[in-house]
């Protein structure tokens, strides 16, 4: 894990262990969210086999966990939107990383923008 955490957002490489509580104590540390039970993060396995996104909404916690995200049209559309999003709050480093990942995905992974 990179320590101290990258407080400005961006990409940190970590190794998750079975005992990690990424939604509770991980969020409490402000590394993976606001406080315990209020996560705010996105993760992708180094081999791109799993994508996890967690955020705190107005009335609950939203969690997406997808195996083989390059095969999910909805995830591809979301990542394309995120990579192109123009906002003062956008994490440019993360957007660049996502754009590189999208550009390098397998030809069999088709999203609407490829049609």
């Amino acid at each position: 894990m990179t320590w101290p955490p990258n407080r400005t957002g961006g990409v940190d490489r970590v190794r998750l262990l079975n005992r990690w509580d990424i939604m509770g104590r991980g969020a409490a540390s402000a590394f993976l969210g606001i406080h315990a039970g209020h996560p705010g993060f996105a993760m992708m396995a180094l081999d791109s086999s799993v994508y996890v996104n967690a955020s705190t909404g107005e009335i609950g916690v939203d969690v997406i966990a997808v195996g083989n995200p390059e095969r999910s049209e909805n995830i591809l559309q979301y990542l394309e939107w995120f990579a192109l999003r123009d906002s003062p709050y956008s994490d440019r480093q993360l957007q660049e990383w996502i754009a590189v990942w999208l550009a390098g995905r397998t030809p069999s992974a088709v999203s609407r923008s490829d049609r």
Side-chain angles (χ1 to χ4, degrees):
M1 173 192 321
T2 304
W3 196 259
N6 182 349
R7 300 279 182 205
T8 61
V11 177
D12 286 308
R13 185 174 174 171
V14 299
R15 178 183 304 267
L16 295 180
L17 304 175
N18 288 335
R19 67 178 185 266
W20 274 35
D21 177 5
I22 59 176
M23 301 288 224
R25 288 187 304 194
S29 70
F31 182 60
L32 298 173
I34 302 166
H35 53 79
H38 293 262
F41 62 85
M43 299 180 182
M44 184 165 308
L46 290 175
D47 65 0
S48 299
S49 63
V50 177
Y51 172 75
V52 178
N53 183 307
S55 64
T56 302
E58 289 185 32
I59 59 172
V61 175
D62 301 317
V63 179
I64 299 169
V66 179
N68 301 305
E70 76 282 357
R71 296 181 189 166
S72 170
E73 187 171 317
N74 289 336
I75 294 298
L76 291 173
Q77 287 175 0
Y78 170 76
L79 292 175
E80 289 168 350
W81 168 84
F82 188 90
L84 297 173
R85 182 177 169 210
D86 185 24
S87 163
Y89 305 106
S90 294
D91 181 334
R92 304 291 184 220
Q93 180 185 9
L94 182 57
Q95 287 178 300
E96 183 178 323
W97 181 85
I98 290 170
V100 168
W101 181 82
L102 287 168
R105 70 186 195 274
T106 59
S108 63
V110 177
S111 71
R112 288 182 200 261
S113 64
D114 293 332
R115 293 182 193 153

